[in-house]
């Protein structure tokens, strides 16, 4: 038997309210608030990258510590003439290349932080992590091109043994550069240190790395024949010019990828 109820019994003011009918789309109530600003220390991907860099660095140092310690000793106390160098094993070389890659990643993260503070926070890319990947590719290309220029120049003017010594020293210097830059990333990302202080620390670290480069360049190539002008031209051509070109490419890339409002 069908009950014939009046309309005011069958429908009420709340009959179509979503609180009484969960099958109906309710939408959102209230006013949308301001989005939470982006912060590096809240980025799980950046945190995972830094944690992975630290873990891989510890593993690499644990497996190649003898080789790294031997490199450090030979860096400041080069072997005498006629003594043969101790060849590194394939595992030691592999772990050192891993440390060089970590250094490239840390440099890319440093410039990524610089980009967020001085260039912009929004880009035409789907993800900001793509920007880090682009910076990483540019950094790896920079070290490969610089290594190729050094190899070509040294093979023209010097013998192969000294060129091999220089390549090993350059790998060690790049590793030292990564070790020096790692505290700057941690202080800037998680301790909110002033950007100017971080920049000053990076500049001091970079100057220290270049001083190590000058010392090793002198001890390998110019210790016998000291020609100041030749050293200056050598370092300006193979150190200063590639560094300025690398910085310019990074700036051009970041400015072309940012969104201008």
């Amino acid at each position: 038997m069908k009950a014939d109820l009046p309309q005011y019994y069958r429908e009420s003011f709340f009959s179509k309210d979503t609180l009484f009918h969960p099958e109906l789309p309710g939408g959102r109530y209230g006013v949308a608030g301001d989005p939470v600003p982006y912060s590096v220390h809240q980025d799980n991907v950046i945190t995972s990258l830094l944690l992975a860099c630290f873990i891989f660095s510890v593993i690499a140092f644990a497996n190649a510590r003898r080789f790294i310690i031997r490199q450090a000793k030979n860096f400041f106390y080069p072997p005498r003439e006629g003594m043969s160098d101790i060849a590194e094993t394939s595992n030691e070389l592999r772990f050192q290349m891993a440390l060089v890659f970590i250094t490239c990643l840390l440099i890319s993260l440093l410039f990524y932080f610089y980009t967020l503070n001085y260039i912009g926070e929004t880009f035409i890319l789907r993800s900001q992590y793509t920007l880090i990947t682009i910076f990483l590719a540019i950094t790896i290309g920079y070290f490969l091109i610089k290594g190729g220029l050094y190899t070509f120049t040294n093979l023209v003017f010097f013998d192969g043994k000294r060129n091999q010594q220089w390549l090993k020293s350059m790998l060690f210097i790049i590793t030292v550069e990564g070790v020096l830059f790692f505290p700057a990333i941690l202080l800037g990302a998680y301790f909110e240190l002033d950007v100017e202080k971080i920049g000053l620390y990076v500049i001091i670290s970079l100057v220290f790395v270049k001083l190590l480069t000058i010392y090793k360049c002198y001890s390998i190539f110019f210790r016998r024949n000291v020609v100041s002008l030749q050293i200056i031209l050598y370092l300006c051509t193979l150190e200063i010019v590639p560094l300025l070109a690398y910085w310019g490419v990074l700036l051009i890339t970041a400015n072309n990828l940012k969104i201008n409002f």
Side-chain angles (χ1 to χ4, degrees), residues 19 131 173 196 248:
L19 298 177
L131 185 65
I173 291 173
E196 284 75 14

Side-chain angles (χ1 to χ4, degrees), residues 42-81:
Q42 296 177 351
D43 195 320
N44 294 329
V45 176
I46 300 295
T47 303
S48 301
L49 284 176
L50 293 177
L51 184 61
C53 288
F54 177 75
I55 293 174
F56 285 135
S57 299
V58 172
I59 294 174
F61 181 78
N63 287 273
R65 62 181 181 274
R66 293 182 180 178
F67 173 62
I68 295 176
I69 293 173
R70 188 169 69 245
Q71 274 190 324
K73 291 181 179 179
N74 293 337
F75 190 89
F76 296 101
Y77 300 99
R80 296 179 181 178
E81 296 292 337

Side-chain angles (χ1 to χ4, degrees), residues 1 7 21 38 42-44 47 110 123 134-135 140 145-146 151 162 181-182 203 206 208 214 220-221 235 239-240 253:
M1 179 178 179
Q7 182 73 15
H21 299 276
Y38 174 79
Q42 296 177 351
D43 195 320
N44 294 329
T47 303
L110 270 178
F123 302 91
I134 294 174
F135 291 158
I140 294 175
I145 292 174
K146 190 173 76 168
T151 302
R162 284 192 283 181
F181 286 166
F182 190 72
I203 292 174
L206 190 61
F208 176 72
I214 294 172
I220 293 178
F221 301 117
L235 292 174
E239 279 292 331
I240 306 302
T253 302

